[in-house]
Amino acid sequence: MPTVWLNSSTCPFLLNGFPGLEKAHHLISLPLLMAYISILLGNGTLLFLIKDDHNLHEPMYYFLGMLAATDLGVTLTTMPTVLGVLWLNHREIGPAACFSQAYFIHTLSIVESGVLLAMAYDRFIAIRNPLRYITILTDTKVIQIGVGVFIRASLSIMPIIIRLHWFPYCRSHVLSHAFCLHQDVIKLACADITFNRLYPVVVVFGMGLLDFLIICFSYILIFKTAMSIASTEERTKALNTCASHICCILVFYVTVVGLTFIHRFGKNIPHVVHITMSYICFLFPPFMNPIIFSIKTRQIQSGLLRLFSLPYSRTRL
């Protein structure tokens, strides 16, 4: 039987929901929809609060705004196709749209790692050199860091996504998820994909792992500085400013490591577990980050109280 070569510029890919659970897709979509709405409301509120509240116009909250914007970006990138598959059974996606979605998903994942690193640098300067904090982390410097994080991520992912347009696809064009990922698409290519297999490993270890190690080293220095503070109250106050950031780091890296281990060593685990872990990896950090900062950060709590008490105050007037 002759091999059928699929032209990547014309033949669509087929997205997948939860294989074997197609009849339950509408039911499965309900918790996902609630998670998406919570993410949009939580991160959208944080962005509005940071923009509107002058008490939050500080480097720490600017970086938090970048984190919230990144989480919104990941959510808005995956949500349309996920709900389209689960609600309408709309599985087809054109190659250009698929490759673009994969590009934004992977780029924003690296952006999130970079923003967490920038937030660690912010806490490092605030605790190690508090008197020069404002002069070091000026608005211009914060913008430069944010632009640098985005450029690093966007350029690092571009080579493997561009190559997807060149490959012929002669295998089944059914993907594993309800959104496009590079590692899924590349399995369908009938060409030499050595570069696309090795390059992501270099990116993960060269950026993700390096970011994590620098964050850990930063916190070793932060804890060393905090322990040298004579006043117990001041020491506790200094460490409390890092609590929310540490929680976000754990949420992000634990989910990524968990997903990596399941894909690498969970060959005997049911496929539905792999898919579920992918959703957890993309939904759990954006869902938890606004909650963590709302609980752990007093200034955010005060801003939320002012924001939601304003309509009540106006009605009384």
Side-chain angles (χ1 to χ4, degrees), residues 241-263:
T241 63
C242 302
S244 53
H245 181 235
I246 292 173
C247 290
C248 290
I249 292 170
L250 292 174
V251 166
F252 177 76
Y253 283 104
V254 167
T255 53
V256 169
V257 170
L259 179 64
T260 303
F261 267 83
I262 283 183
H263 279 307

Side-chain angles (χ1 to χ4, degrees), residues 46 212 244 301:
L46 271 183
F212 179 72
S244 53
Q301 293 174 358

